[in-house]
Amino acid sequence: VGGVSTRIDASRTFGKRFIAREILKDAQGILTFRGTDAETGGDVVIKTAPREGAMLEVARRLAREAPALRGMGGGAAPLIHVGTDNGRLFVVTPFIVGETLRERIRRGPLSIRDALAFACDVLRQLDEAHAAGILHRDVKPENIIVSLGALAPLATLVDFGFARAHQFTGWLADAPVAALRYVSPEQAGLLDRGVDPRSDLYSFGVVLFESLAGRPPFVFDDAGALLRAHQVERPPAIRSLSDHVPRALDAVLARLLRKDPRDRYQSAAAV
């Protein structure tokens, strides 16, 4: 990516401490590695991108949010380290054992019990982040790691550090259609409202809908059509796709997916 040799990066050390072992993902100029913390011996995820252009805003935001991200509890993956190395911004978080919610959904919709278990975990983590003034900005199945608990699946929300800042101009032009399935109308710039915690709740609503129905509320291969749906189309009632969903949960989803953030739940705790 950008002339960087992934062969070299796959065995390099960041910040003289974090050793990259394996490339997990290479997309849109961002390289993600599984690696080792040389100080603790723990498994980590190292996400890195050129410290230029839009990433300068990410670096500034991370500098502000780092203390709160390091102290994240409630099951969220805390920030271990943020720094720069040879002109690249890098962010380090713990490696969470499990599978992504995307991988789990590919095997079929979740049961009500499992969906509510993961939902409550994610909402608790969003509530803590929002209370600290931190928005996730990229809530989607790929950023939720599900692992087996004693009584129910446990969910961990990851990737707080590198989510796209809402101030970025023009990011929609480069975003894959799959990423736009979870963006709120205001984050997409389709609604003249500020981006705040209610934007994360809209994205969470799309994820919860998909976990129960096996598909998101809006399914289009064209970015323009998908964005228009977020802006003006009413999402289908979840019970029309999955009749085992209780009416009360259908009502919760309908409120999460309201176009105007003032009509949604106003906090993750309220959900």
Side-chain angles (χ1 to χ4, degrees), residues 119-260:
C120 288
D121 284 345
V122 172
L123 287 166
R124 279 191 289 268
Q125 294 158 35
L126 284 174
D127 189 46
E128 180 182 2
H130 294 164
I134 297 169
L135 303 182
H136 189 283
R137 303 181 180 90
D138 199 16
V139 179
K140 59 186 180 183
E142 288 81 356
N143 284 337
I144 297 171
I145 306 298
V146 179
S147 55
L148 293 176
L151 300 176
L154 303 174
T156 303
L157 186 58
V158 300
D159 211 13
F160 276 91
F162 253 60
R164 290 182 182 272
H166 68 271
Q167 297 92 344
F168 295 177
T169 57
W171 74 269
L172 289 173
D174 300 324
V177 172
L180 300 181
R181 292 185 182 127
Y182 309 94
V183 67
S184 71
E186 62 270 28
Q187 188 177 8
L190 305 171
L191 190 69
D192 187 18
R193 295 281 186 272
V195 176
D196 61 26
R198 296 170 296 184
S199 176
D200 280 346
L201 296 183
Y202 181 94
S203 300
F204 166 80
V206 178
V207 172
L208 181 56
F209 186 107
E210 185 174 359
S211 75
L212 291 165
R215 48 148 281 191
F218 304 119
V219 182
F220 295 95
D221 294 327
D222 176 74
L226 183 55
L227 291 173
R228 182 183 180 281
H230 281 304
Q231 183 179 22
V232 301
E233 287 193 19
R234 184 175 180 175
I238 185 72
R239 285 174 59 83
S240 69
L241 302 172
S242 184
D243 59 10
H244 71 290
V245 174
R247 292 186 185 279
L249 185 51
D250 194 353
V252 169
L253 282 163
R255 187 171 176 186
L256 282 166
L257 296 174
R258 296 276 173 82
K259 307 303 183 185
D260 191 323

